[in-house]
Amino acid sequence: MATTLKLEDRPRVLVVGGGYVGLYVAFKLQKKIAKAGGIVTLVDPLPYMTYQPFLPEVAAGSIEPRHAVVSFRKHLPQTEFIQGKVTSVNHESRKAVVEPADGGPSFEIPYFDVVMAAGSITRTFPINGLAEQGIGLKTIEEAVALRNQVTERIELASTETDPAKRRRALTFVVVGGGFAGVETIAELEDLARNLASKNSRLEVSELRFVLVEAMGRIMPEVTESQAEWVVEHLRSRNVEVLLNTSLADAEGGRLKLINMPDKSAADEFETDTLIWTAGVQANPAARNTDFPIDERGRIKAGADLRITGEFGPVENAWTAGDVAAVPDLSGGGVGGFCVPNAQHAIRQAKRLSKNLWASRWDKPLKDYNHKTIGAVAGLGLWKGVAKVGKLGFRGPLAWLMHRGYHGLAMPTAERKVRVIFGWILSFLMGRDIAPLMDLDQPRASFRAAAAPAPKPAAAAAPAAADAAAEPAKEPAEAK
């Protein structure tokens, strides 16, 4: 039974989720709402926002993991932060139920305005063995784990004498040929090649990278000619790009691939590293509300970013980002809606903040209308592809455009400086390839040191030892 949390009795803007939308809405409104006598409350299971476009570079050792996240406590000083998960929202009563991150008893929190910004989660399919063998790339923890996994597998493979186990350890597979998948496999291949070249027991040619994509092309955000160039580029680096191919089974790390047109068997091999980047879906938390939901589980929104149902806008209820079905007035969206990416989320958050504040003073609201300016992708150090308007770029220039755009888009000036100076240090001193081992069991070495020493075997009794040392006596009958 949820209990009522004792909070200050003042108008509250409750922000559900601390991704791009949640961070920017809280950042833009915290001072204004406080001066007006209210408070902004942000609820998220994590104490930081993750800049997801940097995750491939974090996995490749080009960016320090903590530099790719933004601390709520540091950068939202006038926002009330609650580390937990909103399990339900009842807008009719203007209350939300929050479950603390430590698993403590749930409590209710009242609000005046609510901003649904729960974002998205990784989209998966019921593939045998996927949950046990796979790892995504949507959180900073996954990026760090991938970096450790690649470095560890390469190091262990260099001392493995069993050819089958060696091949399995040096095989790395990415499922999903969108931006995330292509950037991930390119960055990790760059890292792996660097590691293998420094190990005299390995040959770079032993590394195997496989990109699996169910559609007939990769990276729908760029032009078809650019996508074809990326495929050629990856294949020139000995990355196997398998189009029209799907993962059918992953039990025990043995992957079974099938051809999509006729579902026939395509290939079968083993791997220790299976990375899943095959898209995202709206956070299921959206369904635990009394807001209108579309067939894809997204909260229905109007162009002014108010939650909008069959009977028009819902008062004091707002949404944006991956969890929302926001109309794309530019006409470039899939199905008439904005695609789920950081570019839209950040801009929607800024418009939402202005509209929410305007609604407090009964001022007119403006619609969100932004035409995507392009797309940039990094494919490892000094390699990239970009599309800006109708112009396409590739190679070092595109890579610089990729870093320039995301360096500027990284939230907060403090984080921008850390990331950019990290890039400069990497340029001068090289990529940081040191893995951080045993993060999942940090107390292992202490437990081993604190464990009681094994007792030595008991010494044999002196009499028994003396008897054993004496020669055997002949029986009396033999004398």
Side-chain angles (χ1 to χ4, degrees), residues 76-272:
L76 300 177
Q78 292 178 278
T79 293
E80 178 185 49
F81 171 63
I82 298 175
Q83 189 170 351
K85 180 173 64 175
V86 173
T87 57
S88 66
V89 175
N90 188 325
H91 192 63
E92 185 176 357
S93 63
R94 298 294 199 279
K95 289 183 179 179
V97 177
V98 178
E99 179 183 290
D102 62 0
S106 299
F107 56 84
E108 287 184 337
I109 182 169
Y111 63 82
F112 183 79
D113 282 285
V114 64
V115 178
M116 297 299 299
S120 59
I121 64 171
T122 300
R123 180 186 62 184
T124 60
F125 301 102
I127 298 173
N128 189 34
L130 177 60
E132 293 76 19
Q133 303 295 325
I135 183 172
L137 192 63
K138 194 164 173 58
T139 68
I140 199 72
E141 293 81 8
E142 288 174 323
V144 173
L146 269 177
R147 176 181 170 183
N148 293 337
Q149 169 80 358
V150 173
T151 55
E152 178 195 45
R153 290 294 91 193
I154 290 176
E155 189 63 34
L156 292 180
S158 71
T159 57
E160 179 58 64
T161 57
D162 185 324
K165 291 182 179 179
R166 188 178 176 103
R167 283 195 302 272
R168 177 179 172 125
L170 295 176
T171 299
F172 306 93
V173 181
V174 175
V175 179
F179 257 63
V182 170
E183 287 189 305
T184 298
I185 200 165
E187 292 284 357
L188 290 181
E189 188 274 339
D190 218 30
L191 169 65
R193 190 159 22 85
N194 186 297
L195 290 168
S197 66
K198 299 181 187 311
N199 193 320
S200 60
R201 297 187 299 271
L202 282 176
E203 297 291 338
V204 174
S205 59
E206 293 184 83
L207 297 170
R208 184 185 184 189
F209 277 86
V210 183
L211 177 64
V212 179
E213 169 54 44
M215 304 299 291
R217 61 163 290 182
I218 62 172
M219 303 176 74
E221 299 88 348
V222 300
T223 65
E224 187 169 352
S225 61
Q226 285 181 309
E228 291 173 352
W229 176 84
V230 172
V231 171
E232 293 175 2
H233 170 76
L234 291 176
R235 286 174 175 166
S236 72
R237 293 161 60 176
N238 293 323
V239 175
E240 300 173 38
V241 181
L242 307 180
L243 302 178
N244 294 309
T245 305
S246 180
L247 176 64
D249 196 284
E251 182 68 24
R254 185 166 190 83
L255 308 189
K256 295 180 181 178
L257 307 180
I258 59 173
N259 295 309
M260 286 304 293
D262 56 8
K263 305 296 182 182
S264 61
D267 199 357
E268 188 172 336
F269 55 89
E270 294 187 352
T271 181
D272 287 334

Side-chain angles (χ1 to χ4, degrees), residues 447-458:
R447 285 198 302 266
K455 294 181 179 180

Side-chain angles (χ1 to χ4, degrees), residues 232-455:
E232 293 175 2
H233 170 76
L234 291 176
R235 286 174 175 166
S236 72
R237 293 161 60 176
N238 293 323
V239 175
E240 300 173 38
V241 181
L242 307 180
L243 302 178
N244 294 309
T245 305
S246 180
L247 176 64
D249 196 284
E251 182 68 24
R254 185 166 190 83
L255 308 189
K256 295 180 181 178
L257 307 180
I258 59 173
N259 295 309
M260 286 304 293
D262 56 8
K263 305 296 182 182
S264 61
D267 199 357
E268 188 172 336
F269 55 89
E270 294 187 352
T271 181
D272 287 334
T273 308
L274 172 60
I275 307 164
W276 183 271
T277 61
V280 297
Q281 61 181 349
N283 195 315
R287 299 184 181 277
N288 300 325
T289 69
D290 52 358
F291 296 127
I293 306 294
D294 74 358
E295 66 280 358
R296 296 177 59 182
R298 300 174 299 182
I299 298 175
K300 295 181 179 180
D304 58 8
L305 303 176
R306 287 184 293 178
I307 295 177
T308 304
E310 182 181 356
F311 303 104
V314 179
E315 293 298 320
N316 305 108
W318 311 79
T319 189
D322 292 2
V323 78
V326 178
D328 189 345
L329 300 184
S330 72
V334 179
F337 297 98
C338 295
V339 296
N341 62 25
Q343 192 176 137
H344 277 305
I346 292 171
R347 287 168 171 77
Q348 287 172 8
K350 295 177 180 179
R351 171 47 52 198
L352 189 157
S353 302
K354 292 177 180 178
N355 281 354
L356 191 153
W357 183 245
S359 70
R360 290 289 180 93
W361 310 102
D362 294 326
K363 293 183 179 180
L365 310 183
K366 294 184 179 180
D367 290 343
Y368 172 76
N369 189 351
H370 172 74
K371 185 176 181 180
T372 301
I373 57 177
V376 290
L379 304 175
L381 294 177
W382 300 102
K383 299 175 282 289
V385 62
K387 175 191 173 186
V388 181
K390 295 182 179 180
L391 300 177
F393 304 87
R394 59 197 186 196
L397 177 59
W399 178 78
L400 289 171
M401 294 170 68
H402 157 76
R403 283 206 162 177
Y405 173 79
H406 287 298
L408 294 175
M410 179 70 193
T412 78
E414 180 251 350
R415 263 358 190 201
K416 285 182 174 67
V417 171
R418 289 185 185 272
V419 167
I420 293 172
F421 270 85
W423 281 336
I424 294 173
L425 288 175
S426 293
F427 176 75
L428 296 175
M429 300 179 181
R431 187 199 307 269
D432 188 349
I433 61 174
L436 300 176
M437 309 306 297
D438 297 326
L439 291 179
D440 57 338
Q441 45 181 356
R443 295 181 62 247
S445 61
F446 178 78
R447 285 198 302 266
K455 294 181 179 180

